Amino acid sequence: METGTTKHGPPEPAESRFHRGTNQSGMRDHNERLVLSLVRQHGSLAKSDIARMTGLSAQTVSVIMRELEDDGLLLRQAPQRGKIGQPSIPMALNPDGAYFIGLKIGRRSAELVLIDFLGKVRAAEQLSYRYPTPRETVEFVASGMEKLRGCLNAGQEKRIAGLGIAMPFELWNWVDTAGAPREIMDEWRHRDVRGDVQALCDFPVYLQNDATSACGAELVFGQSSGLRDFVYFYIGAFAGGGIVLDGRLYSGPTGNAGALGSMLVSGPGGKQAQLIDIASVAVLEKELNKRGIEAPHLWTSPEDWGELGPTLDEWIVRAADALAHAIVSTVSVIDFEAAVIDGWMPTSVRLKLVDAVRKAIGDIDAEGLTVPKIHEGTVGVHARALGAASLPLSERFLIRPTMIAGGT
């Protein structure tokens, strides 16, 4: 790590300045977060660009960017020479400026990722299971974090700024669909998972619904930055989603807004059913099992499911029809400009699903409504874990933090 010079005394290590200028929660002040957010959005910016965008004085911007550079959060880029005057020096985010850990607790697997300040995955660990248990999950976190932290040197390890947890709220209510013993799932009812994980960490821990976290990953790391208002569907073991309003992840007062898996849609035979009972990957697995096909690779190899034949094609048709009805229902409440669909599946399957949704939505009577554009998600299978890691990043360094529960 670089060192810098303080006003008094010898040079101070950059990592020791990591929290300088922050409040007791370790959050940067408003203007620093504003600068970091703009640089993240644009890739790199000169001081004059930021002054123009923010309305802050050139002197104020200069002070802020110098402090962010001293703290190791910004890096100078090559000077850009114009026709007149001094060359401008763009500043970009330092990938090693901060690190974040994301934990996804799913119904069929758990995942830990370590990301840098740009959102690049530096290391990952995964655990597959028939159903989640609190003890096994905490043990996985303890051993997994040790492996992740082992990928960093001492200076980098000091820059881990937080851990986010993405998990289904009220996990104990999914006994039947998870195929787990009731007494095991009931253990989740009485466990403070955030507290258990916080006991393992010397940095803040945050908690969010898993599908909402996936939506947050699309918002922070995805390529949908031009969208300001969109409804988001994540098709994992069970279907879920999230809502973005005015460029901000909206989770509601209980953190459960955008619980799209519970939405009623048209099911088999025209009967109503919940989206979760039609468009979930767990439903695909059950259909494969009925035909004598064991498919554990749905959970262990999400990037490559191999050849699943007509069972996959039939599931895509049913899931697309259900998603199309769900999308039309949402825009009758809020006129979203787009619907984004991502999931725990190969990109080729996601593309087929999105294309099928576009076709199905054209067959629905949506008179009086503006049907939103249908987009593929751009984050992919790691969306929930990356969304979890984005919680401390957003809460501590960005101007529009995701709305989260918990945190220290």
Side-chain angles (χ1 to χ4, degrees):
M1 289 286 183
E2 278 189 341
T3 58
T5 304
T6 56
K7 293 181 179 179
H8 304 284
E12 180 184 6
E15 61 265 19
S16 72
R17 297 194 306 263
F18 181 51
H19 297 296
R20 185 181 68 186
T22 62
N23 63 23
Q24 292 181 346
S25 297
M27 300 180 189
R28 314 298 303 191
D29 71 23
H30 176 86
N31 286 340
E32 288 180 331
R33 292 156 68 99
L34 178 58
V35 169
L36 289 172
S37 298
L38 287 170
V39 174
R40 175 175 295 278
Q41 181 181 350
H42 293 274
S44 65
L45 287 172
K47 298 173 185 177
S48 57
D49 297 324
I50 292 176
R52 185 183 69 256
M53 292 175 178
T54 62
L56 296 172
S57 69
Q59 181 179 6
T60 297
V61 171
S62 181
V63 170
I64 291 172
M65 296 188 79
R66 183 169 60 249
E67 290 186 350
L68 291 174
E69 183 182 14
D70 289 346
D71 289 352
L73 297 174
L74 292 181
L75 289 176
R76 290 173 179 257
Q77 305 296 289
Q80 295 183 346
R81 297 187 178 276
K83 294 181 179 180
I84 58 174
Q86 294 294 321
S88 63
I89 302 176
M91 303 289 281
L93 296 181
N94 179 4
D96 295 312
Y99 296 90
F100 311 90
I101 296 175
L103 167 64
K104 179 213 74 176
I105 302 174
R107 298 165 178 93
R108 295 300 300 268
S109 66
E111 185 180 8
L112 272 171
V113 297
L114 172 70
I115 68 171
D116 62 24
F117 204 27
L118 296 181
K120 180 182 178 181
V121 176
R122 294 293 187 94
E125 296 289 327
Q126 184 178 326
L127 171 69
S128 297
Y129 40 64
R130 288 183 59 197
Y131 49 81
T133 67
R135 180 185 60 80
E136 185 181 24
T137 301
V138 174
E139 289 176 353
F140 165 68
V141 174
S143 62
M145 278 206 305
E146 185 175 353
K147 294 176 182 178
L148 296 186
R149 297 178 81 154
C151 299
L152 304 175
N153 62 39
Q156 291 171 326
E157 190 175 359
K158 291 178 182 179
R159 287 181 169 268
I160 298 177
L163 180 150
I165 303 172
M167 65 177 291
F169 287 170
E170 299 187 2
L171 186 59
W172 54 87
N173 285 333
W174 301 98
V175 174
D176 295 333
T177 46
R182 183 171 296 278
E183 62 272 15
I184 296 294
M185 298 302 286
D186 270 348
E187 291 180 19
W188 290 100
R189 187 192 302 271
H190 309 293
R191 291 295 289 262
D192 175 10
V193 179
R194 195 194 69 80
D196 290 343
V197 174
Q198 182 66 78
L200 302 172
C201 305
D202 53 1
F203 37 74
V205 174
Y206 306 87
L207 176 67
Q208 181 60 281
N209 175 271
D210 60 337
T212 305
S213 294
C215 183
E218 185 67 39
L219 185 62
V220 176
F221 302 124
Q223 304 303 309
S224 302
S225 58
L227 299 177
R228 302 293 297 171
D229 301 282
F230 61 90
V231 59
Y232 174 92
F233 295 86
Y234 188 86
I235 310 302
F238 299 124
I243 293 172
V244 171
L245 298 174
D246 192 26
R248 180 170 182 166
L249 183 64
Y250 178 74
S251 58
T254 65
N256 209 34
L260 302 173
S262 300
M263 182 172 287
L264 291 176
V265 296
S266 177
K271 294 182 179 180
Q272 282 193 328
Q274 287 192 337
L275 181 67
I276 196 172
D277 294 324
I278 301 176
S280 300
V281 177
V283 174
L284 171 61
E285 182 187 37
K286 287 182 179 179
E287 291 300 317
L288 289 167
N289 292 164
K290 286 179 182 178
R291 301 184 186 191
I293 303 172
E294 295 297 322
H297 59 289
L298 292 179
W299 316 112
T300 58
S301 304
E303 290 93 351
D304 184 9
W305 283 353
E307 180 56 50
L308 297 178
T311 306
L312 175 61
D313 297 333
E314 293 164 8
W315 174 79
I316 287 176
V317 170
R318 291 192 298 269
D321 186 68
L323 285 164
H325 279 88
I327 291 168
V328 171
S329 295
T330 61
V331 297
S332 69
V333 180
I334 298 174
D335 55 343
F336 294 107
E337 60 182 310
V340 178
I341 301 172
D342 209 338
W344 182 266
M345 62 185 67
T347 54
S348 59
V349 174
R350 184 181 66 193
L351 176 58
K352 290 180 180 179
L353 178 61
V354 170
D355 283 344
V357 171
R358 289 173 178 147
K359 180 179 183 299
I361 209 166
D363 297 331
I364 298 174
D365 181 4
E367 185 177 357
L369 301 174
T370 301
V371 177
K373 293 182 178 179
I374 313 300
H375 293 253
E376 277 191 85
T378 61
V379 179
V381 296
H382 299 299
R384 289 169 294 181
L386 285 171
S390 77
L391 295 175
L393 167 61
S394 296
E395 179 67 10
R396 303 183 67 181
F397 293 97
L398 301 184
I399 195 62
R400 288 178 178 267
T402 55
M403 300 175 65
I404 55 176
T408 58

